[in-house]
Amino acid sequence: VAEVAAAERVVAELREACAAPPARLNDVAAAMEAEMRAGLREEGGSKIKMIISYVDNLPTGNEEGFFYALDLGGTNFRVLRVQLAGKEKRVAKRESKEVSIPPHLMSGNASELFGFIASALAKVIAEEGRNDVFQDEQRELGFTFSFPVRQTSIASGTLIKWTKAFSIDDAVGEDVVAELQMAMEKHGVDMRVSALINDTVGTLAAGRYNDEDVVIGVILGTGSNAAYVEEASAIPKFEGELPKSGNMVINTEWGNFYSSCLPITEYDQALDEESLNPGEQIFEKLISGMYLGEIVRRVLLKIASQSTLFGKVNHTKLKTRFILRTPDISAMHHDETADLRVVAEKLADNLKIKDTSLETRKMVVEICDIVTSRSARLAAAGIVGILRKIGRAVPGDERRSVIAIDGGLFEHYPEFRQCLESTLVELLGEEASRSLVVKLTKDGSGLGAALIAAAHSQYQ
Ligand code: ADP
Ligand code: MG
């Protein structure tokens, strides 16, 4: 009984520390909005970089021709080739190839990584039909590179830092387009990188291609980030001539958002300290798929150290970092069997925890719920911050506003998605949320990049 009480205390403390009631979320949204303004004012004005993407035109649907996209940012990278056929026919053809990145390349050196990518590109080109490409035109590529980059134009930018599982020191500060272009030349790939974008910007573009009311793109996958359409005149740090469209897509890099009003636990602190990038990407570490499973593991480890509910700690795998992944906690959270069989299986298969009681399994589900709800609610608060910044879905605004969201966490974790959507309504109110639409927008980092490449083609 004392055992159970100790475990319940851990869960109660977790619930308390993760609490994100509306008042707190409003503070988070306000802080997000304030940080956005500070980041737009001057370079380095905020922890969130508010990167000028140089994308001042989003796709209209009229784009035509063959375009390529390269998506690098998660565990896999993808090469995509599309044929755009104008307003009526849209995407007439689409081929893609996914390659997983050997882990050693994620922390090796830049030339190895880009060489690996270029050789994959070379293979795709070797396999394609001859008459698909106009003989006298160079192939054009949109490069989705989902790490913070300081852009200087639509097709160049230097890497500020790596995030997620990447850490290649000699690439930091380098122009990633130049590195890719160099690697492509070495591998005999004749292709021009016509746009360097972030996956959030791509998601925004792909969303807009299908729905002209899309104003925000959000990634909730391995990492988390958001991009939105800003008025160019509302960006004090923007130098040079204002774009004709009057608009500029801003990549917020909200993953690095921090505010003292964020609900942060001892588990988050320890996770951060032991991470590849301590002190950075705090918002991302609270909400994105790379970390949710790991937070849950840390809570379970704490319970195991204070009780025998999971047996002897050293007989389990609870001490192995990142052994519990977000898809696992999603499966446990979603377990609809009466005896929580899926939870039992996951605990046994992933953590070598056997013979748990139903009560203990229920507790595990509750922990998943606490960690995931906090994540989804914080993500919703971030979105509300952006909506307020651009005066959308606020009282008096009647326009339809669409938010394009991509990423495995949003796509494959129904409890997360429901919680995010209901929290938006909770924060914005019934009235304002009626004109708000959240749309799963897959393939922003692929199709979106190809679309932006098309919009910035040298032949148009
Ligand atoms: P990336 O962010 O790497 O580009 P995705 O958008 O496909 O790739 O997101 C992959 C991430 O989504 C995984 O790292 C994982 O955290 C999360 N994810 C994948 N499947 C699930 C699932 N079934 N439930 C919850 N999260 C998932
Ligand atoms: Mg992705």
Side-chain angles (χ1 to χ4, degrees):
V1 181
E3 298 278 322
V4 176
E8 278 174 355
R9 197 163 49 242
V10 172
V11 178
E13 280 166 9
L14 176 73
R15 196 184 305 116
E16 173 77 28
C18 288
R24 187 186 273 257
L25 292 183
N26 271 312
D27 291 347
V28 172
M32 182 67 80
E33 189 186 344
E35 290 298 320
M36 289 173 68
R37 288 183 195 281
L40 290 176
R41 207 169 299 133
E42 59 189 336
E43 214 56 73
S46 163
K47 282 186 84 78
I48 59 173
K49 295 217 157 56
M50 301 300 284
I51 294 167
I52 295 170
S53 70
Y54 292 89
V55 173
D56 52 10
N57 271 312
L58 286 167
T60 57
N62 295 320
E63 293 76 11
E64 286 184 19
F66 282 93
F67 295 93
Y68 297 78
L70 183 68
D71 175 17
L72 178 69
T75 34
N76 296 317
F77 84 88
R78 276 184 324 140
V79 181
L80 180 78
R81 181 165 177 275
V82 293
Q83 182 182 15
L84 304 174
K87 213 124 224 154
E88 295 303 313
K89 291 194 189 137
R90 297 282 162 153
V91 183
K93 202 169 179 187
R94 171 203 295 250
E95 298 152 271
S96 75
K97 183 177 179 144
E98 190 163 302
V99 185
S100 73
I101 303 169
H104 72 273
L105 290 186
M106 296 189 188
S107 51
N109 59 57
S111 67
E112 269 175 7
L113 177 70
F114 285 106
F116 182 77
I117 293 167
S119 67
L121 269 175
K123 271 187 214 135
V124 168
I125 291 177
E127 287 163 11
E128 72 194 10
R130 288 202 115 258
N131 32 10
D132 274 356
V133 177
F134 302 92
Q135 299 258 307
D136 50 345
E137 289 190 2
Q138 198 181 15
R139 294 175 179 86
E140 293 183 296
L141 174 93
F143 180 21
T144 305
F145 184 75
S146 305
F147 301 95
V149 160
R150 180 162 298 113
Q151 284 199 243
T152 39
S153 72
I154 181 78
S156 64
T158 56
L159 174 62
I160 298 170
K161 62 172 186 183
W162 293 102
T163 59
K164 297 169 278 189
F166 283 76
S167 168
I168 302 172
D169 290 344
D170 69 346
V172 175
E174 298 297 320
D175 182 347
V176 292
V177 173
E179 302 257 348
L180 175 61
Q181 205 81 63
M182 215 154 60
M184 290 197 301
E185 265 157 49
K186 256 194 210 155
H187 286 81
V189 177
D190 180 25
M191 217 183 243
R192 170 177 175 266
V193 180
S194 35
L196 172 66
I197 65 159
N198 187 278
D199 54 356
T200 45
V201 176
T203 299
L204 182 62
R208 179 66 74 87
Y209 186 64
N210 294 312
D211 186 332
E212 59 183 18
D213 292 326
V214 169
V215 288
I216 301 176
V218 178
I219 296 293
L220 290 158
T222 304
S224 182
N225 191 9
Y228 73 103
V229 183
E230 183 57 278
E231 280 171 31
S233 62
I235 311 172
K237 72 176 177 184
F238 184 73
E239 287 167 359
E241 212 176 314
L242 291 183
K244 279 201 204 80
S245 68
N247 296 320
M248 178 58 74
V249 173
I250 297 290
N251 162 19
T252 65
E253 288 295 336
W254 83 6
N256 201 38
F257 172 69
Y258 177 79
S259 157
S260 57
C261 54
L262 288 172
I264 293 177
T265 68
E266 58 184 280
Y267 311 104
D268 304 305
Q269 277 162 359
L271 180 153
D272 175 48
E273 277 161 27
E274 293 166 32
S275 69
L276 281 173
N277 49 357
E280 290 175 42
Q281 301 293 106
I282 300 298
F283 194 55
E284 178 165 88
K285 286 170 182 161
L286 295 175
I287 66 179
S288 81
M290 176 162 171
Y291 305 101
L292 299 187
E294 171 64 3
I295 298 171
V296 170
R297 178 195 67 85
R298 286 170 181 273
V299 178
L300 298 183
L301 177 60
K302 170 108 174 189
I303 291 173
S305 73
Q306 302 201 347
S307 75
T308 52
L309 292 188
F310 299 131
K312 284 210 171 65
V313 178
N314 288 337
H315 292 174
T316 72
K317 287 193 171 175
L318 274 172
K319 285 190 175 163
T320 310
R321 279 187 224 165
F322 290 95
I323 189 108
L324 199 59
R325 297 168 323 122
T326 300
D328 301 321
I329 72 162
S330 154
M332 294 197 287
H333 199 169
H334 199 66
D335 190 353
E336 280 164 348
T337 63
D339 53 349
L340 296 179
R341 214 174 320 129
V342 179
V343 177
E345 266 168 35
K346 287 283 169 194
L347 292 177
D349 296 350
N350 292 275
L351 300 168
K352 286 198 181 160
I353 296 173
K354 303 222 171 73
D355 306 320
T356 49
S357 70
L358 181 58
E359 288 310 305
T360 300
R361 296 200 290 277
K362 280 187 182 158
M363 192 182 68
V364 172
V365 174
E366 191 186 352
I367 294 167
C368 297
D369 184 53
I370 292 170
V371 171
T372 292
S373 302
R374 177 184 64 164
S375 156
R377 290 178 68 79
L378 289 176
I383 291 171
V384 170
I386 299 179
L387 287 168
R388 288 190 187 151
K389 169 71 186 73
I390 57 177
R392 290 273 182 164
V394 293
D397 177 47
E398 313 246 291
R399 292 168 293 181
R400 183 170 169 272
S401 298
V402 184
I403 302 167
I405 307 188
D406 193 11
L409 180 62
F410 183 77
E411 185 182 1
H412 301 299
Y413 197 157
E415 287 77 9
F416 173 92
R417 183 171 173 169
Q418 275 152 22
C419 181
L420 185 146
E421 291 182 5
S422 64
T423 307
L424 282 171
V425 177
E426 190 180 325
L427 296 177
L428 296 167
E430 293 279 345
E431 175 96 33
S433 359
R434 236 168 270 144
S435 60
L436 190 75
V437 180
V438 172
K439 264 195 190 175
L440 172 65
T441 303
K442 291 196 344 186
D443 201 28
S445 43
L447 180 62
L451 287 167
I452 294 176
H456 294 85
S457 163
Q458 62 187 327
Y459 303 111
Q460 289 186 1

